[in-house]
Amino acid sequence: MASPMRSLFTDPDRYLQSFRLFLKNSTEHQCIQEFMERQLPAVVESIGNGKSAINILSVGGGAGEIDLLILSKVQARYPGVAINNHVIEPSADQIFKYKENVAATSNLENVKFTWHEETAYEYESRMNEEKKSEKWDFIHMIQMLYYVKDVSATIRYFHSLLEEQAKLLIIVVSGTSGWETLWKKYWSSFPSDDLCCCVSSADIKRILDSAGLKCQLHELPSHMDITSCFIEGNKDGEMLLDFLTETCEFSKTASPELKYQVMEELRKPECSQERDGKVLFNNNMSVIVIEP
């Protein structure tokens, strides 16, 4: 009999709800923001040397909150220099929010924004069809490589678009995170979906090593409070379980055996730690900075 389980991506509204709950319960955004504040200035130190304009490509820019923080650091390093900021983002809703965020942000007079409502693969295909090969001074891909069909090919393609002093910055979950443990053991038990793959910094490091590409790795400690997942019938807990397993209504559709195994796994030290009566899931991330 076919499993009643279905991918969370088949219900975009529930996915967005669970994603917002994940952000609310985790320190993800704070960790990324802290990295951008403290360490990004060194990353962008030489990307615009001798240039009259700096070209930046945001792959999977979402609603632009992190993009705008990145732009502020580039502006601080190169005051007054023109910046062409191109955004690849498949969601029309996210682009709309991005434009709202731009409208509400001051000091962007020297930044020109161009949005492309398409996936990374669609962008690559369009460039190839149009026989274009635009070069970039800074490309960033933040928490988006889970949504490409061929991670290795995607990295190779965008790396090929780097200028001489440019950088490619990737953020994904760390190979030491609870995600890596959960995925390795249970990914095959969750409903398969072409829209998503499990990829961590360990996988990316292997891809870069085999391609002979140099990189710097920065670990960002992060956690997510999943205490509510262990309270039977708790709506937030059920939604977070959906996000963790990428399964729509996991609590209701998973077999009792699978649900028991996953709940047990989530409590193990490889996935979470218990502190002050809370279960904190290891949401560590990695920042990978790749040279041309």
Side-chain angles (χ1 to χ4, degrees):
M1 196 178 84
S3 166
M5 290 166 69
R6 63 190 174 99
S7 165
L8 185 55
F9 292 96
T10 61
D11 188 336
D13 287 343
R14 191 170 175 89
Y15 170 76
L16 200 57
Q17 258 184 296
S18 66
F19 176 63
R20 285 180 181 143
L21 197 60
F22 156 70
L23 287 180
K24 185 180 161 193
N25 280 266
S26 77
T27 59
E28 169 147 326
H29 258 179
Q30 298 92 301
C31 290
I32 293 176
Q33 284 172 333
E34 195 174 306
F35 174 85
M36 298 304 172
E37 291 287 355
R38 292 185 178 182
Q39 290 169 283
L40 188 69
V43 175
V44 300
E45 175 65 31
S46 60
I47 62 167
N49 285 357
K51 292 183 177 280
S52 57
I54 297 169
N55 297 316
I56 297 177
L57 182 62
S58 164
V59 187
E65 296 102 326
I66 301 296
D67 286 20
L68 291 170
L69 186 54
I70 289 171
L71 286 168
S72 72
K73 298 304 166 197
V74 177
Q75 285 177 310
R77 172 64 185 89
Y78 297 99
V81 175
I83 297 172
N84 298 310
N85 188 72
H86 284 240
V87 183
I88 299 168
E89 170 54 55
S91 164
D93 183 52
Q94 290 288 79
I95 289 176
F96 179 77
K97 289 192 175 79
Y98 196 132
K99 289 177 178 177
E100 282 188 328
N101 284 328
V102 168
T105 305
S106 56
N107 303 322
L108 291 172
E109 297 78 17
N110 64 322
V111 184
K112 184 184 177 223
F113 290 89
T114 306
W115 287 273
H116 306 276
E117 190 185 318
E118 57 193 353
T119 64
Y121 179 72
E122 286 165 349
Y123 173 85
E124 180 182 347
S125 301
R126 182 168 60 82
M127 289 293 124
N128 289 337
E129 271 173 35
E130 295 172 8
K131 295 191 167 42
K132 280 186 185 172
S133 181
E134 294 173 324
K135 292 285 187 174
W136 304 91
D137 301 305
F138 188 50
I139 300 175
H140 53 86
M141 313 164 96
I142 298 171
Q143 294 287 56
M144 60 70 61
L145 280 172
Y146 320 111
Y147 311 109
V148 302
K149 279 193 166 64
D150 188 332
V151 175
S152 178
T154 300
I155 291 173
R156 283 200 309 272
Y157 172 71
F158 285 101
H159 179 265
S160 75
L161 305 182
L162 292 177
E163 289 279 19
E164 272 181 36
Q165 300 178 93
K167 298 280 196 299
L168 168 59
L169 181 144
I170 293 171
I171 299 183
V172 289
V173 298
S174 169
T176 64
S177 69
W179 293 104
E180 175 84 337
T181 305
L182 195 63
W183 286 341
K184 271 188 175 160
K185 283 198 178 177
Y186 293 104
W187 188 258
S188 60
S189 303
F190 301 148
S192 63
D193 194 304
D194 284 347
L195 291 170
C196 198
C197 65
C198 47
V199 61
S200 74
S201 60
D203 303 307
I204 304 239
K205 188 75 173 66
R206 278 193 290 273
I207 289 168
L208 297 177
D209 287 347
S210 68
L213 295 176
K214 288 184 296 185
C215 71
Q216 292 174 312
L217 200 65
H218 306 265
E219 290 291 305
L220 309 186
S222 173
H223 66 260
M224 166 171 51
D225 184 349
I226 60 168
T227 315
S228 59
C229 294
F230 299 92
I231 303 167
E232 197 64 44
N234 183 286
K235 289 279 176 270
D236 282 2
E238 288 180 359
M239 198 72 86
L240 283 175
L241 266 178
D242 283 12
F243 192 78
L244 283 160
T245 60
E246 288 177 7
T247 303
C248 198
E249 306 216 32
F250 176 80
S251 287
K252 295 184 175 73
T253 60
S255 68
E257 184 189 6
L258 178 62
K259 186 181 173 186
Y260 174 79
Q261 288 173 345
V262 168
M263 300 309 285
E264 286 291 297
E265 193 65 41
L266 285 172
R267 274 198 184 274
K268 288 180 182 173
E270 292 84 0
C271 274
S272 306
Q273 57 172 290
E274 300 200 27
R275 205 163 62 216
D276 303 325
K278 291 180 176 177
V279 183
L280 302 176
F281 181 77
N282 178 334
N283 186 54
N284 290 357
M285 289 166 291
S286 298
V287 180
I288 303 156
V289 181
I290 307 165
E291 308 283 332

